[in-house]
Amino acid sequence: MVMNNSVTEFILFGYPWDEGKQKVKFEVFLVLYIVTLLGNFLIVVTIKTSRTAGSPMYLFPFYLSFADACFSMTTAPRLIVDALSQKKTISFNECLTQVFAVHFFGFTEVFVLILTAFDHYAAICKPLWYATTMSQQVCVVFVITAWVGSRIHSSAQIFLTLRLPLCGPNVIDHYFCDLLPLLKLTCMDTFMTNLLVVSNNGAICMVSFIILLMSYVAILLSLRNHSAEGRQKSLSTCTSNFIVVVISFGPCIFIYTCPPPTFPIGKMVAVFYTIGTPLLKPLIYTLRNVEMKNAVKKLWCSKV
């Protein structure tokens, strides 16, 4: 239940740049956004049309790229449009939708990355169990579980947002709607709400990051018993995924375990998290994964 519905719209004030050269920044972010969508949908289409589309090795990157593309749509279009707008406003309902979408697709990526690490760990450390147990149906169940978990998490964010008594100014010191900036607009003690946000968001990021680090350490230890060719192939795949984990969880941990992003570096980290990370992930997957590069070349050369 909404405790205060007098606020019908918000003014997005905390943009991570000065007022000058807005046209240049509009063009830069537009190009980055287009490249992000093209890169992620390239992976989605390549895996979907590949003969190995049902393989767990490609199923998780498929859903990760799909979630990345959707995640970039939650903040980038408004950021691009507002770069040239004089009045940067967002309605209350649009703000709630953005809060839900950012956390839904953002934490879907978190859960899918964990599933990807588990898939690699099982394939390398438990090959016999992996061959007999991991199937497309099992992976689909895992992905559905990730979607359900993300839905529960994002619904909790909406519940907390609707419980906020918004009686202060309607100026959000950020470039998109999120729970932490909204807490500054309330007229109540937000200590417990901040604690819930940190435990719900920051703890998930931190614990997930630690679990992923432990899985990759276990993989590295198990590679000592593999052949040189097997070690090289596994290391290449694990390195790509580890880089993705670092650029995904680093900003997430910073944003949700540090104070609200009222300072420039916090907003720049948020820009990297919402614009840079979805752009870099498909590049890392395609440039470092030989099989993925070959699949892309085969698909698009045949189309040409």
Side-chain angles (χ1 to χ4, degrees):
M1 181 176 127
V2 182
M3 294 183 66
N4 189 314
N5 57 3
S6 60
V7 177
T8 58
E9 68 176 13
F10 299 100
I11 299 174
L12 300 172
F13 185 73
Y15 276 72
W17 57 64
D18 298 326
E19 292 298 324
K21 299 182 179 180
Q22 287 183 308
K23 185 176 180 181
V24 174
K25 292 158 186 172
F26 165 81
E27 294 171 350
V28 170
F29 282 114
L30 178 61
V31 171
L32 292 177
Y33 178 59
I34 293 174
V35 173
T36 298
L37 292 183
L38 290 177
N40 282 290
F41 281 122
L42 173 64
I43 294 179
V44 169
V45 173
T46 300
I47 296 176
K48 190 67 176 177
T49 57
S50 174
R51 288 180 298 178
T52 57
S55 170
M57 180 186 301
Y58 293 100
L59 191 64
F60 293 139
F62 171 85
Y63 285 106
L64 183 62
S65 293
F66 178 75
D68 272 323
C70 295
F71 179 70
S72 65
M73 295 178 187
T74 61
T75 58
R78 178 168 289 277
L79 177 66
I80 294 168
V81 172
D82 286 349
L84 298 180
S85 302
Q86 295 298 322
K87 189 178 181 182
K88 304 172 177 61
T89 60
I90 183 171
S91 69
F92 182 82
N93 290 333
E94 288 176 330
C95 184
L96 288 179
T97 302
Q98 192 173 58
V99 171
F100 181 88
V102 166
H103 285 270
F104 180 77
F105 292 112
F107 278 81
T108 295
E109 296 176 24
V110 170
F111 297 138
V112 174
L113 282 173
I114 294 176
L115 293 175
T116 303
F118 171 76
D119 176 70
H120 291 151
Y121 170 80
I124 295 172
C125 302
K126 309 288 183 181
L128 295 179
W129 177 88
Y130 183 84
T132 58
T133 305
M134 290 296 287
S135 62
Q136 184 180 9
Q137 291 75 19
V138 173
C139 293
V140 169
V141 171
F142 285 160
V143 171
I144 293 175
T145 304
W147 288 106
V148 172
S150 300
R151 175 63 183 269
I152 295 173
H153 165 77
S154 52
S155 297
Q157 306 301 305
I158 295 299
F159 175 78
L160 290 175
T161 303
L162 291 176
R163 298 290 297 175
L164 295 177
L166 303 175
C167 52
N170 64 335
V171 179
I172 298 177
D173 189 19
H174 209 16
Y175 67 92
F176 67 91
C177 281
D178 201 2
L179 192 53
L180 287 177
L182 285 172
L183 289 177
K184 298 176 61 180
L185 309 183
T186 64
C187 53
M188 71 173 188
D189 183 11
T190 59
F191 175 77
M192 288 304 299
T193 307
N194 269 302
L195 192 61
L196 287 173
V197 172
V198 171
S199 62
N200 192 13
N201 298 321
I204 289 177
C205 291
M206 184 68 74
V207 172
S208 300
F209 183 65
I210 293 174
I211 291 174
L212 289 169
L213 285 181
M214 292 173 61
S215 69
Y216 286 118
V217 169
I219 290 173
L220 290 176
L221 292 176
S222 69
L223 288 178
R224 293 178 298 180
N225 302 322
H226 288 66
S227 63
E229 183 181 355
R231 282 199 301 268
Q232 184 177 3
K233 182 178 180 180
S234 299
L235 280 174
S236 177
T237 303
C238 290
T239 301
S240 302
N241 286 279
F242 182 74
I243 295 173
V244 170
V245 166
V246 171
I247 65 175
S248 299
F249 285 90
C252 177
I253 293 172
F254 179 86
I255 291 172
Y256 291 110
T257 58
C258 294
T262 57
F263 42 92
I265 187 172
K267 294 168 186 174
M268 293 307 299
V269 170
V271 170
F272 177 78
Y273 182 60
T274 56
I275 303 293
T277 301
L279 170 66
L280 293 175
K281 285 180 186 177
L283 294 177
I284 295 171
Y285 275 121
T286 53
L287 292 179
R288 294 191 59 88
N289 191 313
V290 177
E291 294 179 359
M292 183 67 72
K293 284 193 293 185
N294 292 335
V296 171
K297 291 178 182 178
K298 184 177 180 180
L299 171 66
W300 296 103
C301 287
S302 64
K303 295 295 182 182
V304 174

